[in-house]
Amino acid sequence: MAGLEAGRAEVRETAVLDGGPAGGLRVRVSGRPAVVQVTYPCELEEPACGVRVEALHVYRLDYRVKEEPLRYSYDRASP
């Protein structure tokens, strides 16, 4: 089983993000991660000594989809 898992992690598959701010975006994932994070930079009103602020959006794998393109649905409840 460990060999199967290791081999699967190397396979890249196409996935589509469904809903939310990145809806429709196509990405390549390996290992079918349960969660994909999308970030967008936020504009700071004043310089902040190297601090960066980003809006975080979470997409969760739809396990019902077994073939490419995989589907990740926007999770409104995450952070």
Side-chain angles (χ1 to χ4, degrees), residues 36-79:
V36 173
Q37 296 180 358
V38 174
T39 61
Y40 285 97
C42 295
E43 185 176 332
L44 300 174
E45 291 186 7
E46 299 175 12
C49 300
V51 172
R52 212 171 61 194
V53 178
E54 295 183 344
L56 173 68
H57 304 280
V58 174
Y59 289 79
R60 297 193 184 275
L61 178 60
D62 182 342
Y63 289 102
R64 298 171 296 179
V65 178
K66 303 294 183 193
E67 298 176 359
E68 289 184 83
L70 303 176
R71 174 165 294 172
Y72 284 81
S73 298
Y74 180 61
D75 184 346
R76 294 180 190 279
S78 286

